[in-house]
Amino acid sequence: MLQNKKTAIIGGGPGGLTLARLLQLKGENVRVYERDLNKDARVQGSPLDLHDDSGLAAVNKANLLEAFKENYLPGADRMKIMNEEAEVFFSDHDDKPVEDFGHEHFRPEISRGALRKILLESLQPETVIWDSHFISMEAQGEGWLLHFKNRDSVYADIVVAADGANSKIRPYITDIKAFYSGVTMLEGNIYDAEKNAPQMNALLGGGKIMAFGNKKNLLMGQKGNDEIGFYASFKTDEKWTVDNGLDYFDKSQMLAWFQKEYPEWSSVWHELFESVTSPFIPRPIYCMPLDQSWKSLPNVTMLGDAAHVMPPFAGEGVNMAMRDALELSECLTDDKYNSLQEAISSYEINMRERASKTAKESLDNGELMHSENALKSMLDFFQGHEN
């Protein structure tokens, strides 16, 4: 069905790049339009843990498993669970069961930058058109004419929105909007952590930390290149990010905020705020309605956060996007469908059902992690999972 057709993917994140790779393996004509100036324009976020039935399944189908194995972060999936005093209640650093690729519970970590590099290098030259800030599109014939802020318009027979939670293409498909989950996260990053945050770096031990106390969290993980990414996670109203009066570039002001809002928490955690590379990034957490539905179109669809943004509390966001890419690539190239609209509809029905279950799990986990009994609940979960 894609023969002699041009497919445009808007957005060069893991989902969009995975789809491009999978379609190219089947000989399809695809371009990725990414608004970043180039591949080095943006610092990539926290590491990702890929799951056997989604992210890793897509990597395997893309013939990139060996490249993944050469770049993942062994041991970065190890976990410590603590209270607000930095007392360790659970750690699998010394006795984590030996798991490897093919084990259903193995969730290898990889930095976002490394995953993006693997995907980019797997694509044909000139597949990604950098510095392409999408503005709008209009119907033209049986396809779309895409307009960009800083380059000439281009025609595509099929458009795939892979442009994230604030997708500019999603409104062409549906007017359903995400709702605020009640949780906001404040992100910070520390570079050269061994030197700049030695206490936190040692506590982290190359893995992850989840600290719970008084309905608030601190979540952190080892990134590549001796970096630490961390999040202060708490319940607040949706307008907190614009009404709080904070200067996210001012480390001393942000530390004072932490001391005021996390008053019961040990001064051990202060090193995070004292060592951060400014600015902090506020992230109100949104979720698409669990019952969302729309009539499928014959020439445009979406994947990942554009389709089903959800909280991060099940670790499924990128995994869902990569599984979307896998399933969409198979639907678009399967001869069993009589039309592109039928293929897209089949993909979207399954995608919505799958994403709804995962989003519900993410929402439930978010409530659990910000509850009075969060520490006990998470200990029960991890100790039960370990057994």
Side-chain angles (χ1 to χ4, degrees):
M1 290 184 295
L2 295 184
Q3 188 173 4
N4 300 320
K5 293 186 184 297
K6 296 179 179 178
T7 300
I9 299 169
I10 309 300
L17 295 177
T18 300
L19 178 61
R21 166 66 174 175
L22 293 169
L23 289 178
Q24 285 189 345
L25 284 176
K26 300 193 179 199
E28 308 302 347
N29 182 352
V30 58
R31 292 288 181 272
V32 178
Y33 296 91
E34 167 56 49
R35 72 176 183 176
D36 282 356
L37 184 63
N38 55 50
K39 63 182 177 61
D40 302 313
R42 187 157 40 120
V43 174
Q44 299 298 299
S46 297
L48 310 164
D49 60 315
L50 297 194
H51 305 172
D52 194 56
D53 63 347
S54 50
L56 281 179
V59 166
N60 199 39
K61 191 74 172 181
N63 297 333
L64 296 173
L65 188 58
E66 290 309 311
F68 181 90
K69 289 179 178 179
E70 293 172 3
N71 287 274
Y72 86 105
L73 303 169
D77 58 334
R78 294 173 300 173
M79 173 70 72
K80 290 180 181 178
I81 297 178
M82 304 180 176
N83 66 2
E84 66 271 31
E85 295 293 331
E87 298 172 313
V88 179
F89 284 75
F90 169 87
S91 172
D92 61 8
H93 279 238
D94 297 325
D95 56 1
K96 185 174 177 62
V98 177
E99 299 170 346
D100 205 344
F101 292 89
H103 189 287
E104 64 174 322
H105 294 306
F106 185 50
R107 295 184 167 186
E109 300 262 347
I110 189 169
S111 72
R112 288 176 184 264
L115 180 61
R116 193 186 205 192
K117 185 172 185 288
I118 290 169
L119 291 166
L120 284 171
E121 291 180 350
S122 75
L123 299 175
Q124 297 167 9
E126 310 303 322
T127 296
V128 179
I129 313 300
W130 300 100
D131 196 18
S132 298
H133 190 147
F134 175 85
I135 296 176
S136 64
M137 63 186 191
E138 59 183 299
Q140 185 176 90
E142 294 185 353
W144 297 91
L145 188 64
L146 309 177
H147 302 298
F148 299 92
K149 183 177 182 179
N150 44 4
R151 69 173 56 254
D152 293 340
S153 300
V154 297
Y155 172 83
D157 298 284
I158 301 162
V159 177
V160 181
D163 52 342
N166 298 313
S167 172
K168 292 183 178 179
I169 293 174
R170 181 182 169 94
Y172 293 86
I173 301 172
T174 176
D175 59 1
I176 299 171
K177 292 181 172 58
F179 63 90
Y180 176 60
S181 70
V183 173
T184 288
M185 304 177 81
L186 191 64
E187 177 184 352
N189 290 282
I190 299 171
Y191 297 91
D192 197 2
E194 188 174 0
K195 173 187 174 184
N196 294 324
Q199 191 173 7
M200 282 292 109
N201 191 64
L203 197 62
L204 197 58
K208 297 180 177 181
I209 287 175
M210 302 172 72
F212 302 97
N214 311 99
K215 299 184 181 181
K216 297 181 176 69
N217 309 163
L218 276 177
L219 313 171
M220 66 193 76
Q222 185 72 54
K223 300 169 70 172
N225 304 319
D226 192 28
E227 299 172 24
I228 292 175
F230 69 93
Y231 298 86
S233 183
F234 50 95
K235 284 198 164 188
T236 188
D237 64 80
E238 186 176 5
K239 294 185 177 180
W240 179 87
T241 57
V242 293
D243 291 344
N244 58 45
L246 293 172
D247 179 355
Y248 298 121
F249 285 86
D250 187 336
K251 288 192 286 189
S252 61
Q253 187 181 132
M254 298 308 297
L255 174 58
W257 168 84
F258 177 75
Q259 292 171 313
K260 177 175 180 290
E261 296 299 324
Y262 284 61
E264 309 88 349
W265 287 60
S266 167
S267 60
V268 168
W269 306 109
H270 294 178
E271 187 180 61
L272 291 171
F273 291 80
E274 293 165 344
S275 309
V276 72
T277 301
S278 300
F280 283 85
I281 304 170
R283 298 194 182 279
I285 305 302
Y286 289 88
C287 186
M288 284 298 173
L290 304 186
D291 61 349
Q292 64 172 337
S293 184
W294 58 82
K295 179 177 173 55
S296 297
L297 299 175
N299 51 16
V300 59
T301 186
M302 52 187 168
L303 58 74
D305 284 352
H308 47 64
V309 66
M310 63 184 70
F313 304 119
E316 291 284 4
V318 167
N319 282 284
M320 287 291 98
M322 294 177 73
R323 182 162 172 179
D324 290 349
L326 176 57
E327 294 184 2
L328 179 56
S329 70
E330 291 175 342
C331 286
L332 291 177
T333 56
D334 195 324
D335 292 338
K336 74 179 181 182
Y337 299 109
N338 296 316
S339 67
L340 278 170
Q341 186 162 10
E342 185 182 337
I344 289 173
S345 178
S346 177
Y347 155 72
E348 290 182 344
I349 289 170
N350 291 329
M351 173 265 288
R352 286 195 298 262
E353 181 180 359
R354 171 170 46 81
S356 177
K357 292 176 182 177
T358 304
K360 175 69 163 58
E361 179 186 355
S362 299
L363 287 167
D364 289 347
N365 287 352
E367 287 298 312
L368 200 66
M369 291 169 68
H370 297 86
S371 68
E372 196 74 57
N373 299 314
L375 179 61
K376 181 181 184 305
S377 298
M378 297 308 290
L379 286 172
D380 290 346
F381 174 82
F382 276 91
Q383 289 167 342
H385 178 75
E386 190 181 42
N387 297 330

